Amino acid sequence: MTTAVSTDTAAAGGAGHRVRRPAKVRKGAVRPEFIPPAPPLRGIDRLADWLLRDGARAVTVIADPAVADRPVTTGVLNQVERAGRTPRLIVLDGPTGLDAVAETAAGLDPEGIVIAVGGGTTLDFAKLTALSARHPHFHRYLTAPQRSGFLVLPPALGPHVRVLAVPTTLGTGSELGTVACFSRDGGKFLATGSCLRPVAALWAAEATDTLPPGLVADGALEALFRTVSPYTGDATELPEQDAAVEALAARILVAGYEVAALRAEGRALPAELRLRIAESSGESQIGRINIGRSPYAVKCWAMANELSTTLDLAKMRTVAALWPVLWRRTLDGDTRLGSPDRIHRLWRVLRAGAPWLPDDPAAGLFRLMGDWHIDRTVRADTGQLARATTRIMRGWGAGLPILDELSAADVRALLAEATEPAPGGSPAARGSQSHHGTRPTAGRP
């Protein structure tokens, strides 16, 4: 979970370097001169014409193995051939770390186009690979020694990456975003910069037609989380952007409850609904709604990211566990975590579309997740909580700007409140996002 970040912000601090928090004058805030992405293509049949206009002779298709034989990938390959190109297909059936990025980049034409078909991991891998192919020294930015989990890339790397993104999951918005996650030294890092925004994106109903309903619900929740977290985490009043956030959040709420109702009836989720969630998720990534906000406003993502890595859980599982806890602490007066007034204001907007939700925002968020059958059960033993706390403080706190005001004890307490003890000291309960409904929840009236 991120917002677009101005490239004049410090590169999140190498080892031993203390990064100053943004001042009240909004140093480091998202600047208004950002360039929005091109509107996504709608439908696979638009791809051939786009390739002809682009003019690239070399086309590489990088596909997630889960969709390599699905209609979305075969449709993409057919469109490449219709454009008179011979596609090279790479199926990501192995590691996706930096060694794999470098190895794959070595075989790419730096002037070619990469079409990425898959979820956030596949899209992020394609972005980093295409940049590595085009900029021989790009790898040094990703491997430079630093303890921060947040890496800001320089504008000299360009306004976009030569990737056409075809997302097959919902919620990440990576196809329109300026971010990419990567693993290194056993940890997860987040890189950001205009150079990571794909040159084009394509939304197609075929891309998500086999996505389990539980993952669609998770996607709606992730889109909602990304939309509202900068708004509630930064007390700055921005009337135009605030109105845009509130309107987008209200639309996502409606879509999430549509998914829940169809799941309850055992009905398929229509293409129109899935595409609407994809559009909302993409809009949350563009950055327009966060112009003027601090890029360090979102505390939950940093903690959830490290907790998910420590426990080998899906990121949205840990986000769902932590998010209501952070809201409760904020509403109880801990303004280091966000703005109580803005949480209340946002919640009034959301309750206008879902009046059955409780008045209290934290309780209401619990109820919303229950209504959507989001599995937010996270189990961890004391050792795992300690390791997660260490990772969080090393990558995001102890002088680094996102969690600068929080101590290790503060973070440990938040993690403990959001998790349940692992039975008998056994490893944390694992599980993919595709298993839902295991906790008793209140249904929608």
Side-chain angles (χ1 to χ4, degrees), residues 266-278:
R267 296 167 57 191
L269 305 182
E272 179 277 332
L273 176 56
R274 288 182 274 115
L275 289 172
R276 197 165 8 117
I277 295 172

mmCIF file with all atom_site columns, all heavy atoms in Angstrom, residues 266-278:
data_model
loop_
_atom_site.group_PDB
_atom_site.id
_atom_site.type_symbol
_atom_site.label_atom_id
_atom_site.label_alt_id
_atom_site.label_comp_id
_atom_site.label_asym_id
_atom_site.label_entity_id
_atom_site.label_seq_id
_atom_site.pdbx_PDB_ins_code
_atom_site.Cartn_x
_atom_site.Cartn_y
_atom_site.Cartn_z
_atom_site.occupancy
_atom_site.B_iso_or_equiv
_atom_site.pdbx_formal_charge
_atom_site.auth_seq_id
_atom_site.auth_comp_id
_atom_site.auth_asym_id
_atom_site.auth_atom_id
_atom_site.pdbx_PDB_model_num
ATOM 1   N N   . GLY A 1 266 ? -24.574 -17.777 -3.939  1.00 0.00 ? 266 GLY A N   1
ATOM 2   C CA  . GLY A 1 266 ? -23.909 -18.786 -4.740  1.00 0.00 ? 266 GLY A CA  1
ATOM 3   C C   . GLY A 1 266 ? -23.876 -18.457 -6.220  1.00 0.00 ? 266 GLY A C   1
ATOM 4   O O   . GLY A 1 266 ? -23.752 -19.361 -7.061  1.00 0.00 ? 266 GLY A O   1
ATOM 5   N N   . ARG A 1 267 ? -23.970 -17.196 -6.557  1.00 0.00 ? 267 ARG A N   1
ATOM 6   C CA  . ARG A 1 267 ? -24.003 -16.771 -7.956  1.00 0.00 ? 267 ARG A CA  1
ATOM 7   C C   . ARG A 1 267 ? -22.632 -16.308 -8.423  1.00 0.00 ? 267 ARG A C   1
ATOM 8   O O   . ARG A 1 267 ? -21.798 -15.875 -7.620  1.00 0.00 ? 267 ARG A O   1
ATOM 9   C CB  . ARG A 1 267 ? -25.020 -15.642 -8.142  1.00 0.00 ? 267 ARG A CB  1
ATOM 10  C CG  . ARG A 1 267 ? -26.451 -16.066 -7.855  1.00 0.00 ? 267 ARG A CG  1
ATOM 11  C CD  . ARG A 1 267 ? -27.376 -14.871 -7.750  1.00 0.00 ? 267 ARG A CD  1
ATOM 12  N NE  . ARG A 1 267 ? -27.344 -14.055 -8.967  1.00 0.00 ? 267 ARG A NE  1
ATOM 13  C CZ  . ARG A 1 267 ? -27.901 -12.850 -9.056  1.00 0.00 ? 267 ARG A CZ  1
ATOM 14  N NH1 . ARG A 1 267 ? -28.499 -12.321 -7.990  1.00 0.00 ? 267 ARG A NH1 1
ATOM 15  N NH2 . ARG A 1 267 ? -27.847 -12.184 -10.197 1.00 0.00 ? 267 ARG A NH2 1
ATOM 16  N N   . ALA A 1 268 ? -22.391 -16.411 -9.722  1.00 0.00 ? 268 ALA A N   1
ATOM 17  C CA  . ALA A 1 268 ? -21.121 -15.974 -10.305 1.00 0.00 ? 268 ALA A CA  1
ATOM 18  C C   . ALA A 1 268 ? -21.016 -14.458 -10.246 1.00 0.00 ? 268 ALA A C   1
ATOM 19  O O   . ALA A 1 268 ? -22.029 -13.741 -10.261 1.00 0.00 ? 268 ALA A O   1
ATOM 20  C CB  . ALA A 1 268 ? -21.023 -16.456 -11.754 1.00 0.00 ? 268 ALA A CB  1
ATOM 21  N N   . LEU A 1 269 ? -19.793 -13.984 -10.181 1.00 0.00 ? 269 LEU A N   1
ATOM 22  C CA  . LEU A 1 269 ? -19.553 -12.549 -10.154 1.00 0.00 ? 269 LEU A CA  1
ATOM 23  C C   . LEU A 1 269 ? -19.407 -12.051 -11.589 1.00 0.00 ? 269 LEU A C   1
ATOM 24  O O   . LEU A 1 269 ? -18.505 -12.493 -12.314 1.00 0.00 ? 269 LEU A O   1
ATOM 25  C CB  . LEU A 1 269 ? -18.282 -12.240 -9.358  1.00 0.00 ? 269 LEU A CB  1
ATOM 26  C CG  . LEU A 1 269 ? -18.236 -12.783 -7.930  1.00 0.00 ? 269 LEU A CG  1
ATOM 27  C CD1 . LEU A 1 269 ? -16.935 -12.363 -7.248  1.00 0.00 ? 269 LEU A CD1 1
ATOM 28  C CD2 . LEU A 1 269 ? -19.436 -12.316 -7.124  1.00 0.00 ? 269 LEU A CD2 1
ATOM 29  N N   . PRO A 1 270 ? -20.278 -11.163 -12.039 1.00 0.00 ? 270 PRO A N   1
ATOM 30  C CA  . PRO A 1 270 ? -20.266 -10.755 -13.448 1.00 0.00 ? 270 PRO A CA  1
ATOM 31  C C   . PRO A 1 270 ? -19.021 -9.967  -13.822 1.00 0.00 ? 270 PRO A C   1
ATOM 32  O O   . PRO A 1 270 ? -18.375 -9.331  -12.978 1.00 0.00 ? 270 PRO A O   1
ATOM 33  C CB  . PRO A 1 270 ? -21.529 -9.891  -13.577 1.00 0.00 ? 270 PRO A CB  1
ATOM 34  C CG  . PRO A 1 270 ? -21.788 -9.387  -12.195 1.00 0.00 ? 270 PRO A CG  1
ATOM 35  C CD  . PRO A 1 270 ? -21.341 -10.482 -11.271 1.00 0.00 ? 270 PRO A CD  1
ATOM 36  N N   . ALA A 1 271 ? -18.702 -10.006 -15.113 1.00 0.00 ? 271 ALA A N   1
ATOM 37  C CA  . ALA A 1 271 ? -17.521 -9.299  -15.617 1.00 0.00 ? 271 ALA A CA  1
ATOM 38  C C   . ALA A 1 271 ? -17.604 -7.814  -15.319 1.00 0.00 ? 271 ALA A C   1
ATOM 39  O O   . ALA A 1 271 ? -16.600 -7.182  -14.967 1.00 0.00 ? 271 ALA A O   1
ATOM 40  C CB  . ALA A 1 271 ? -17.382 -9.537  -17.121 1.00 0.00 ? 271 ALA A CB  1
ATOM 41  N N   . GLU A 1 272 ? -18.787 -7.235  -15.436 1.00 0.00 ? 272 GLU A N   1
ATOM 42  C CA  . GLU A 1 272 ? -18.943 -5.798  -15.202 1.00 0.00 ? 272 GLU A CA  1
ATOM 43  C C   . GLU A 1 272 ? -18.520 -5.427  -13.796 1.00 0.00 ? 272 GLU A C   1
ATOM 44  O O   . GLU A 1 272 ? -17.856 -4.396  -13.584 1.00 0.00 ? 272 GLU A O   1
ATOM 45  C CB  . GLU A 1 272 ? -20.400 -5.384  -15.450 1.00 0.00 ? 272 GLU A CB  1
ATOM 46  C CG  . GLU A 1 272 ? -20.701 -3.924  -15.229 1.00 0.00 ? 272 GLU A CG  1
ATOM 47  C CD  . GLU A 1 272 ? -20.973 -3.567  -13.756 1.00 0.00 ? 272 GLU A CD  1
ATOM 48  O OE1 . GLU A 1 272 ? -21.449 -4.458  -13.015 1.00 0.00 ? 272 GLU A OE1 1
ATOM 49  O OE2 . GLU A 1 272 ? -20.696 -2.414  -13.362 1.00 0.00 ? 272 GLU A OE2 1
ATOM 50  N N   . LEU A 1 273 ? -18.872 -6.250  -12.812 1.00 0.00 ? 273 LEU A N   1
ATOM 51  C CA  . LEU A 1 273 ? -18.516 -5.967  -11.425 1.00 0.00 ? 273 LEU A CA  1
ATOM 52  C C   . LEU A 1 273 ? -17.016 -6.103  -11.231 1.00 0.00 ? 273 LEU A C   1
ATOM 53  O O   . LEU A 1 273 ? -16.379 -5.255  -10.579 1.00 0.00 ? 273 LEU A O   1
ATOM 54  C CB  . LEU A 1 273 ? -19.269 -6.924  -10.495 1.00 0.00 ? 273 LEU A CB  1
ATOM 55  C CG  . LEU A 1 273 ? -18.945 -6.839  -9.005  1.00 0.00 ? 273 LEU A CG  1
ATOM 56  C CD1 . LEU A 1 273 ? -19.163 -5.436  -8.464  1.00 0.00 ? 273 LEU A CD1 1
ATOM 57  C CD2 . LEU A 1 273 ? -19.797 -7.856  -8.228  1.00 0.00 ? 273 LEU A CD2 1
ATOM 58  N N   . ARG A 1 274 ? -16.419 -7.128  -11.793 1.00 0.00 ? 274 ARG A N   1
ATOM 59  C CA  . ARG A 1 274 ? -14.970 -7.319  -11.655 1.00 0.00 ? 274 ARG A CA  1
ATOM 60  C C   . ARG A 1 274 ? -14.202 -6.175  -12.310 1.00 0.00 ? 274 ARG A C   1
ATOM 61  O O   . ARG A 1 274 ? -13.213 -5.686  -11.766 1.00 0.00 ? 274 ARG A O   1
ATOM 62  C CB  . ARG A 1 274 ? -14.564 -8.664  -12.249 1.00 0.00 ? 274 ARG A CB  1
ATOM 63  C CG  . ARG A 1 274 ? -15.016 -9.849  -11.405 1.00 0.00 ? 274 ARG A CG  1
ATOM 64  C CD  . ARG A 1 274 ? -14.562 -11.174 -11.980 1.00 0.00 ? 274 ARG A CD  1
ATOM 65  N NE  . ARG A 1 274 ? -15.481 -11.684 -12.981 1.00 0.00 ? 274 ARG A NE  1
ATOM 66  C CZ  . ARG A 1 274 ? -15.211 -11.851 -14.260 1.00 0.00 ? 274 ARG A CZ  1
ATOM 67  N NH1 . ARG A 1 274 ? -13.997 -11.533 -14.717 1.00 0.00 ? 274 ARG A NH1 1
ATOM 68  N NH2 . ARG A 1 274 ? -16.094 -12.319 -15.102 1.00 0.00 ? 274 ARG A NH2 1
ATOM 69  N N   . LEU A 1 275 ? -14.659 -5.743  -13.460 1.00 0.00 ? 275 LEU A N   1
ATOM 70  C CA  . LEU A 1 275 ? -13.993 -4.627  -14.130 1.00 0.00 ? 275 LEU A CA  1
ATOM 71  C C   . LEU A 1 275 ? -14.163 -3.330  -13.356 1.00 0.00 ? 275 LEU A C   1
ATOM 72  O O   . LEU A 1 275 ? -13.265 -2.479  -13.327 1.00 0.00 ? 275 LEU A O   1
ATOM 73  C CB  . LEU A 1 275 ? -14.543 -4.477  -15.549 1.00 0.00 ? 275 LEU A CB  1
ATOM 74  C CG  . LEU A 1 275 ? -14.119 -5.581  -16.526 1.00 0.00 ? 275 LEU A CG  1
ATOM 75  C CD1 . LEU A 1 275 ? -14.880 -5.449  -17.840 1.00 0.00 ? 275 LEU A CD1 1
ATOM 76  C CD2 . LEU A 1 275 ? -12.620 -5.542  -16.785 1.00 0.00 ? 275 LEU A CD2 1
ATOM 77  N N   . ARG A 1 276 ? -15.310 -3.171  -12.706 1.00 0.00 ? 276 ARG A N   1
ATOM 78  C CA  . ARG A 1 276 ? -15.532 -1.971  -11.894 1.00 0.00 ? 276 ARG A CA  1
ATOM 79  C C   . ARG A 1 276 ? -14.565 -1.939  -10.706 1.00 0.00 ? 276 ARG A C   1
ATOM 80  O O   . ARG A 1 276 ? -14.032 -0.878  -10.349 1.00 0.00 ? 276 ARG A O   1
ATOM 81  C CB  . ARG A 1 276 ? -16.980 -1.942  -11.414 1.00 0.00 ? 276 ARG A CB  1
ATOM 82  C CG  . ARG A 1 276 ? -17.418 -0.595  -10.923 1.00 0.00 ? 276 ARG A CG  1
ATOM 83  C CD  . ARG A 1 276 ? -18.921 -0.412  -10.783 1.00 0.00 ? 276 ARG A CD  1
ATOM 84  N NE  . ARG A 1 276 ? -19.743 -1.558  -10.950 1.00 0.00 ? 276 ARG A NE  1
ATOM 85  C CZ  . ARG A 1 276 ? -20.529 -2.071  -9.991  1.00 0.00 ? 276 ARG A CZ  1
ATOM 86  N NH1 . ARG A 1 276 ? -20.528 -1.526  -8.779  1.00 0.00 ? 276 ARG A NH1 1
ATOM 87  N NH2 . ARG A 1 276 ? -21.303 -3.106  -10.239 1.00 0.00 ? 276 ARG A NH2 1
ATOM 88  N N   . ILE A 1 277 ? -14.337 -3.091  -10.091 1.00 0.00 ? 277 ILE A N   1
ATOM 89  C CA  . ILE A 1 277 ? -13.376 -3.144  -8.983  1.00 0.00 ? 277 ILE A CA  1
ATOM 90  C C   . ILE A 1 277 ? -11.970 -2.867  -9.493  1.00 0.00 ? 277 ILE A C   1
ATOM 91  O O   . ILE A 1 277 ? -11.181 -2.155  -8.852  1.00 0.00 ? 277 ILE A O   1
ATOM 92  C CB  . ILE A 1 277 ? -13.459 -4.503  -8.270  1.00 0.00 ? 277 ILE A CB  1
ATOM 93  C CG1 . ILE A 1 277 ? -14.829 -4.664  -7.604  1.00 0.00 ? 277 ILE A CG1 1
ATOM 94  C CG2 . ILE A 1 277 ? -12.347 -4.644  -7.233  1.00 0.00 ? 277 ILE A CG2 1
ATOM 95  C CD1 . ILE A 1 277 ? -15.086 -6.049  -7.040  1.00 0.00 ? 277 ILE A CD1 1
ATOM 96  N N   . ALA A 1 278 ? -11.624 -3.408  -10.668 1.00 0.00 ? 278 ALA A N   1
ATOM 97  C CA  . ALA A 1 278 ? -10.313 -3.138  -11.248 1.00 0.00 ? 278 ALA A CA  1
ATOM 98  C C   . ALA A 1 278 ? -10.128 -1.649  -11.515 1.00 0.00 ? 278 ALA A C   1
ATOM 99  O O   . ALA A 1 278 ? -9.066  -1.078  -11.238 1.00 0.00 ? 278 ALA A O   1
ATOM 100 C CB  . ALA A 1 278 ? -10.150 -3.923  -12.550 1.00 0.00 ? 278 ALA A CB  1
#
